[in-house]
Amino acid sequence: MDTSLITMPVTFKVGDIMSEDEFFRFCQMNDTLSFERDKNGNIIFMSPTGSFTGKFNLRIANIIFNWLDRNAVAGELFDSSTGFTLPNSAVRSPDLSWVSKAKWDTLSEDEKEKFAPVCPDFIIEVRSKSDDLRYLQDKMQEYINSGCQLAWLIDRFSQQVLIYSQGNEVQTIKSLDVQLSGDPVFPGFVLDLSAIEKS
């Protein structure tokens, strides 16, 4: 079987047979694999990112982390291994996410140790070669519907960026030679995507 023809992610129809705690334990027992769960309780198997995509993600994370630190922005930045339970009960793991201190501080220590029941304020998803674009677009809209303020879908393979924000239509930029504004979540922050793509 030619696995290069498989479009990721793969969904396992399991319905509501797992509670939130059981799904968390399932993920911990299989911690070398990446899973999400949709609002219907079905388990979604995510493929590992390619090496270039992993490097790309890390460089973006470093830039954002350093800017947040220099500007003393109160909140927490998370990597792609972090799961969040959204208001519709889906468990999602964005490639990069940020939660404001005000939101984070409302959670108990137990909630922080599991898939925290909070939607990040800022999210980035970077499309991997095997990722289905329609699936990622639906997931981005789910984040916005759940309270995310700003979300970027960076599609290196179609050379475009889709920008999602509260109260606005999705903005599509047909280029990666672009500077992305962090407003209104990170006023004054600009990500020079072209510099990362060419590095």
Side-chain angles (χ1 to χ4, degrees):
M1 179 180 180
D2 185 358
T3 56
S4 67
L5 300 177
I6 298 175
T7 299
M8 298 301 286
V10 175
T11 300
F12 298 94
K13 303 285 187 180
V14 297
D16 59 358
I17 64 172
M18 278 189 189
S19 68
E20 290 184 15
D21 284 342
E22 288 169 337
F23 177 64
F24 180 78
R25 288 198 300 272
F26 172 80
C27 293
Q28 299 303 296
M29 291 169 64
N30 296 279
D31 59 1
T32 59
L33 303 175
S34 297
F35 298 103
E36 290 186 332
R37 189 173 69 168
D38 67 20
K39 63 182 180 180
N40 299 311
N42 299 314
I43 295 175
I44 301 158
F45 173 60
M46 315 293 291
S47 66
T49 60
S51 298
F52 189 94
T53 300
K55 178 188 78 168
F56 188 81
N57 291 350
L58 186 58
R59 290 191 175 179
I60 292 175
N62 283 338
I63 290 168
I64 294 176
F65 177 84
N66 289 333
W67 186 89
L68 293 172
D69 189 51
R70 284 196 309 272
N71 291 274
V73 178
E76 301 292 341
L77 192 66
F78 300 91
D79 68 9
S80 61
S81 62
T82 309
F84 297 95
T85 302
L86 303 183
N88 67 358
S89 80
V91 176
R92 300 297 186 185
S93 298
D95 288 327
L96 185 76
S97 53
W98 180 83
V99 177
S100 66
K101 185 177 187 299
K103 274 189 181 180
W104 187 245
D105 286 350
T106 66
L107 302 175
S108 69
E109 291 305 312
D110 186 57
E111 287 173 326
K112 291 176 182 178
E113 289 293 341
K114 296 184 179 179
F115 299 138
V118 65
C119 181
D121 299 274
F122 173 71
I123 280 169
I124 297 177
E125 291 278 11
V126 178
R127 185 185 179 194
S128 297
K129 193 170 185 179
S130 60
D131 286 339
D132 178 70
L133 179 58
R134 180 72 257 176
Y135 174 82
L136 290 177
Q137 289 173 310
D138 289 344
K139 193 159 68 162
M140 300 301 280
Q141 191 59 55
E142 183 179 48
Y143 293 141
I144 295 299
N145 294 345
S146 298
C148 179
Q149 298 299 305
L150 178 65
W152 298 337
L153 172 53
I154 301 171
D155 184 353
R156 293 179 42 248
F157 300 98
S158 295
Q159 292 287 294
Q160 64 179 358
V161 181
L162 282 71
I163 301 173
Y164 296 73
S165 59
Q166 285 292 331
N168 298 305
E169 295 292 323
V170 179
Q171 180 185 0
T172 302
I173 301 173
K174 294 286 188 179
S175 172
L176 296 185
D177 187 8
V178 63
Q179 294 191 335
L180 299 174
S181 169
D183 291 343
V185 181
F186 304 138
F189 173 72
V190 175
L191 177 68
D192 185 353
L193 197 58
S194 62
I196 299 172
E197 174 69 8
K198 294 170 184 174
S199 62

